[in-house]
Amino acid sequence: MTRSEWFTSFDVDAFEVPGGREENWRFTPLKRLAGLHLGEAANKGRTAVEVVAGDGVTVETVERGDARLGVAGTPGDRVAAQAWNSFTGATLVTVGKEVATTEPVLVTVTGAGKDVTAYGHIQLRAEQFAEAVVVLDYRGSGVLADNVEVVLGDGAKLTVVTVIDWADDAVHVSSHHAKVGRDATLRHTVVTLGGNLVRVSPTVAYDGPGGDAELLGVYFADAGQHLEHRLFVDHGVPNCRSNVVYKGALQGEDAHTVWIGDVLIRAAAEATNTFELNRNLLLTDGARADSVPNLEIETGEIEGAGHASATGRFDDEQLFYLQARGIPVEQARRLVVRGFFNEIIAKITVPEVRERLEAAIEAELEAVGV
């Protein structure tokens, strides 16, 4: 089945219970999902959502029946549908028309507690010609399934930085649905560091020509950790652009990362320009990275399209070059890892997030002795 035929629904029962052989689930260790895929995990708690926002930004808690919810996309799997039908209140953050914020909007989500299952829904909305940066920060313990909607009006510019820094016990399955308006610009970054099992599925669709979406990701998996990112960019209108760059490092026994990148260029999407890239760096033995880029093109009238993926260990030539200039091998290895991530870290415009990510990478390298 191609992505153009992918099934979506708000109805949980419209999806079969996954058994692990389905393409959408074959890399995910279902036994570690705390029952989220079964449709039977009760909502036993509630995450705490705190928002710090400046002038021109409205923050609301709304019920499921609010007409603004669900406009960015429809759940594409059973867990996302379960989350849609189980949340008790959605957090809606709206950047008003032509408002340009000077400080980032901070949305902090704290887990419901160890082994406590919760469901959530967040919508980030930038109205016509608005400009803002939003930091979505997950922390604490718990089991969480949620949907995050990102809605951009015509001409809006929105940067969303998601930091997933759970405690070691956490299980998190999250679907991000982005709807990009005419001539709007989305910068979507996912930083995944913590958690026992994390599965994030960003989807981007265009609501008018001229849309521009850049999807960036950084992840660092430790022993026993499963970090999975599944992206889908749906080009359905002409003259739009997308660029995807995800980079990950792995260390420790049974550290496992999964990256699936799907790009669909529909027949109507003439003059599309798209590229996707995934790079994985294995720091120790016993770690595994799965990377699958997919590109589906239904029209020949495009500007450009391509994808690339690679997984490997340290570049011996880079290490030799640094050591030949008197840099000790351990320091040389750290410089290589920093350089590996720098392309993405440099694009994070929030200094606090950038410094936090750099410190986290240093701590990971210290732990493994690199």
Side-chain angles (χ1 to χ4, degrees):
M1 178 185 293
T2 66
R3 280 311 301 245
S4 60
E5 301 170 324
W6 204 274
F7 179 75
T8 60
S9 176
F10 289 101
D11 181 6
V12 179
D13 294 330
F15 297 93
E16 294 183 358
V17 176
R21 294 187 177 182
E22 302 84 357
E23 178 59 33
N24 194 26
W25 295 100
R26 67 187 179 99
F27 291 111
T28 309
L30 299 181
K31 292 181 179 179
R32 293 169 59 181
L33 279 179
L36 290 175
H37 63 299
L38 300 175
E40 300 172 352
N43 193 355
K44 298 180 179 179
R46 190 169 183 174
T47 57
V49 181
E50 299 180 9
V51 183
V52 178
D55 295 339
V57 180
T58 304
V59 181
E60 306 169 74
T61 299
V62 300
E63 301 301 319
R64 183 177 297 100
D66 192 294
R68 293 169 291 181
L69 298 183
V71 299
T74 307
D77 61 55
R78 188 176 177 89
V79 178
Q82 181 70 34
W84 168 263
N85 286 278
S86 300
F87 74 84
T88 54
T91 300
L92 180 58
V93 179
T94 304
V95 183
K97 182 179 179 180
E98 299 181 356
V99 169
T101 61
T102 57
E103 295 293 331
V105 178
L106 305 178
V107 182
T108 303
V109 180
T110 304
K114 187 175 182 179
D115 299 327
V116 178
T117 299
Y119 297 95
H121 195 100
I122 294 173
Q123 185 180 98
L124 309 175
R125 177 181 290 265
E127 296 185 342
Q128 190 175 24
F129 298 114
E131 295 185 28
V133 176
V134 179
V135 178
L136 180 57
D137 190 354
Y138 291 93
R139 57 181 63 186
S141 296
V143 178
L144 175 64
D146 67 348
N147 288 286
V148 177
E149 294 187 78
V150 182
V151 183
L152 279 72
D154 293 347
K157 295 181 179 180
L158 183 63
T159 297
V160 179
V161 182
T162 301
V163 181
I164 301 174
D165 198 8
W166 294 108
D168 292 341
D169 66 283
V171 175
H172 185 197
V173 180
S174 185
S175 293
H176 290 208
H177 314 270
K179 183 179 181 182
V180 181
R182 184 185 186 99
D183 296 323
T185 301
L186 171 66
R187 298 288 177 263
H188 182 279
T189 303
V190 178
V191 178
T192 310
L193 301 171
N196 180 304
L197 181 150
V198 175
R199 173 179 155 128
V200 185
S201 303
T203 297
V204 174
Y206 297 88
D207 199 33
D212 186 342
E214 184 173 47
L215 283 73
L216 306 174
V218 173
Y219 49 91
F220 206 127
D222 286 323
Q225 205 173 15
H226 179 92
L227 306 180
E228 184 168 345
H229 302 86
R230 291 180 165 269
L231 293 84
F232 176 37
V233 181
D234 187 352
H235 284 274
V237 296
N239 298 294
C240 289
R241 173 187 177 273
S242 66
N243 185 53
V244 178
V245 181
Y246 268 62
K247 290 189 174 185
L250 302 83
Q251 65 184 20
E253 193 69 25
D254 294 327
H256 188 203
T257 64
V258 177
W259 181 87
I260 308 294
D262 288 322
V263 175
L264 169 63
I265 304 175
R266 298 182 186 269
E270 297 178 353
T272 291
N273 193 344
T274 180
F275 193 82
E276 57 177 347
L277 170 70
N278 178 230
R279 292 282 187 265
N280 296 288
L281 185 60
L282 302 176
L283 301 180
T284 66
D285 293 332
R288 172 184 168 186
D290 289 295
S291 179
V292 185
N294 299 301
L295 179 59
E296 183 179 353
I297 305 174
E298 297 178 347
T299 176
E301 303 297 324
I302 60 174
E303 289 286 332
H307 58 70
S309 169
T311 299
R313 298 185 180 276
F314 284 105
D315 188 321
D316 291 335
E317 290 187 3
Q318 289 180 333
L319 289 176
F320 177 79
Y321 177 86
L322 293 171
Q323 287 181 266
R325 279 147 184 78
I327 299 174
V329 62
E330 288 190 4
Q331 186 177 350
R333 287 176 179 269
R334 293 193 180 198
L335 288 173
V336 170
V337 175
R338 289 176 194 151
F340 174 75
F341 283 124
N342 186 66
E343 175 186 2
I344 297 176
I345 293 176
K347 293 184 178 182
I348 298 176
T349 59
V350 184
E352 295 83 354
V353 175
R354 189 169 58 244
E355 293 166 5
R356 180 176 165 187
L357 177 55
E358 291 172 345
I361 291 173
E362 285 296 316
E364 295 283 6
L365 297 176
E366 184 72 29
V368 77
V370 173

